[in-house]
Amino acid sequence: PGWHVASRVSGRTAGLIVEFRDPQIVATFQEDSLTLVKMVDEGVFWVLLALGAVGVAFVIHFIIFRRPKEEDKQPPARESSASNAEITHKNVTSKNAKRIQAVKGKAKGLEKHPLQAADLKGHTGTVLDLEFSLDGKYLASCSTDRTVRVWNVKDFLDRDHKYIRVNVDLDHAKSVSMSPDSRAVVTATDDGNQVRVFKISRKKDGTGTCSDVVDFLKEHSAPIISAAVAPTGRFILTCYSDTTFIIWNLKGEVLAREDTKQVKNHFACISPCGRFVACTGFTPDVKLWEVIFSKAGDFEGVTRAMDLKGHKAAVYCCAFSKDSMRAATVSKDGTWKFWNQDGYSFRLL
């Protein structure tokens, strides 16, 4: 009693809707299912609808009005970034310009060092090595421009610097050394990896030409890292990047081949007396060999002489004093050491 019953037909499915005496509850059942729905009061409905509208309005306000403000703050940062980049670019450009001017000697406020004697201009490539002659009258240099140039020291203070130019055909020299009489230049070629000797003939005006070229046979596959002529003129030394050095006579014949057992060689040189060969490498010791000749000048052999012990890491370079009584070494351990010959050995000073 008091119920209102209505029938509903949807498609092929027939259902029955029953409304309770309480108008806020609606019951529906369809086939084997029954659903009770709680009807919401009209006032509550409008309150919820108003709250939803306020939320939607807030979201729209945030999207439309808040985002442009953040974008308004970004342009100054971009301008600042752009200005900083422009300033940095100007600074880098200015520094590069100053460096170029300094190299050319035209930078304002920059002067040459008071001890600088001359700028030897002539090479068009990177200069890889140079060495003074034994008498100090000449300076030999080699470059990637495939030339070797011999400069006259007496011209250093003049405006024009004369030199003897020697062309290295199809290759370039990476190491250069002068013979004791300054009449020949011994080089180590880069691509060919062999010794090439240039004989020089000089003229009275200070110029000269290359009169002859002698190529030694390639005796080792590892790259040559240094080549030198003994001050006595009796032999030539070549040191290789592995653990090998070779002693040659002036005709290009191998006299001795030694293994330094240093994992890797870094440098080798000959003492001014022509007696010792010093070799540095991966190990912290500098190893010295004695090259022995008879009184008649015949080669007798190479013997291990001594080790210079004191460094804690690999040694990069070694040099002797003019009288061969002292030596200096520089190492990866950040130190250099000075040695004095004490009898048959070198003592650390």
Side-chain angles (χ1 to χ4, degrees):
W3 287 11
H4 175 73
V5 179
S7 62
R8 178 175 64 85
V9 178
S10 176
R12 296 182 180 180
T13 304
L16 188 65
I17 300 176
V18 180
E19 183 178 355
F20 285 89
R21 194 180 300 273
D22 186 354
Q24 294 183 352
I25 298 177
V26 175
T28 64
F29 67 90
Q30 191 171 15
E31 293 183 355
D32 58 350
S33 62
L34 174 65
T35 304
L36 297 178
V37 180
K38 176 72 175 179
M39 302 301 293
V40 181
D41 185 64
E42 184 177 358
V44 176
F45 171 77
W46 288 110
V47 170
L48 295 176
L49 183 61
L51 292 176
V54 171
V56 173
F58 178 78
V59 172
I60 295 175
H61 173 78
F62 178 81
I63 295 174
I64 297 177
F65 298 99
R66 183 65 177 173
R67 184 171 294 180
K69 291 183 179 179
E70 293 180 353
E71 293 177 354
D72 291 341
K73 296 179 180 179
Q74 292 179 356
R78 293 177 181 175
E79 291 178 2
S80 176
S81 176
S83 62
N84 291 338
E86 184 178 358
I87 292 173
T88 303
H89 176 70
K90 289 181 179 179
N91 291 339
V92 172
T93 305
S94 177
K95 290 180 181 179
N96 291 339
K98 289 182 179 179
R99 289 174 183 173
I100 295 174
Q101 290 179 355
V103 171
K104 294 181 178 180
K106 297 180 181 180
K108 295 182 180 180
L110 296 179
E111 297 180 357
K112 292 184 178 180
H113 192 280
L115 298 181
Q116 182 176 342
D119 292 331
L120 304 181
K121 299 180 180 180
H123 284 296
T124 58
T126 303
V127 178
L128 301 178
D129 192 23
L130 47 81
E131 184 184 81
F132 281 99
S133 61
L134 192 62
D135 57 8
K137 293 182 178 180
Y138 303 98
L139 175 68
S141 61
C142 63
S143 169
T144 56
D145 62 5
R146 296 185 175 183
T147 65
V148 173
R149 300 170 193 258
V150 180
W151 313 79
N152 198 327
V153 174
K154 70 177 183 179
D155 297 334
F156 281 4
L157 299 180
D158 297 338
R159 182 175 181 178
D160 297 327
H161 307 112
K162 298 178 181 179
Y163 57 82
I164 300 174
R165 171 174 172 161
V166 178
N167 294 324
V168 184
D169 296 333
L170 305 176
D171 208 336
H172 71 265
K174 59 182 178 180
S175 178
V176 63
S177 181
M178 296 194 70
S179 63
D181 58 2
S182 303
R183 294 182 179 179
V185 176
V186 178
T187 65
T189 59
D190 184 58
D191 295 333
N193 196 42
Q194 60 186 140
V195 176
R196 181 173 295 180
V197 181
F198 299 93
K199 296 182 180 180
I200 298 174
S201 59
R202 290 186 174 84
K203 300 179 181 179
K204 294 182 179 180
D205 60 356
T207 61
T209 58
C210 175
S211 60
D212 194 11
V213 179
V214 178
D215 285 335
F216 288 11
L217 295 177
K218 185 177 179 179
E219 291 290 341
H220 198 59
S221 59
I224 300 175
I225 58 176
S226 58
V229 185
T232 57
R234 290 181 173 179
F235 66 93
I236 294 174
L237 166 71
T238 54
C239 180
Y240 299 84
S241 61
D242 52 5
T243 60
T244 305
F245 73 82
I246 296 178
I247 303 295
W248 312 72
N249 63 15
L250 302 183
K251 297 179 181 179
E253 299 171 343
V254 176
L255 299 178
R257 185 192 302 262
E258 295 292 330
D259 185 359
T260 62
K261 298 179 180 180
Q262 296 185 116
V263 182
K264 179 182 180 181
N265 293 334
H266 287 162
F267 182 76
C269 63
I270 306 172
S271 62
C273 65
R275 179 182 175 186
F276 298 110
V277 170
C279 189
T280 68
F282 182 79
T283 61
D285 302 332
V286 180
K287 298 183 179 181
L288 274 71
W289 284 261
E290 183 179 6
V291 183
I292 304 173
F293 286 85
S294 65
K295 293 182 179 179
D298 298 327
F299 176 76
E300 294 184 352
V302 178
T303 60
R304 182 73 173 274
M306 66 194 82
D307 294 343
L308 305 185
K309 297 180 177 290
H311 285 293
K312 298 180 181 179
V315 181
Y316 289 137
C317 192
C318 175
F320 290 94
S321 60
K322 188 175 181 179
D323 58 3
S324 300
M325 296 301 294
R326 292 186 176 183
T329 57
V330 62
S331 169
K332 185 181 178 181
D333 61 12
T335 65
W336 61 270
K337 297 185 183 297
F338 205 45
W339 311 79
N340 185 55
Q341 186 174 358
D342 186 9
Y344 196 71
S345 63
F346 279 84
R347 176 176 52 88
L348 179 63
L349 294 179

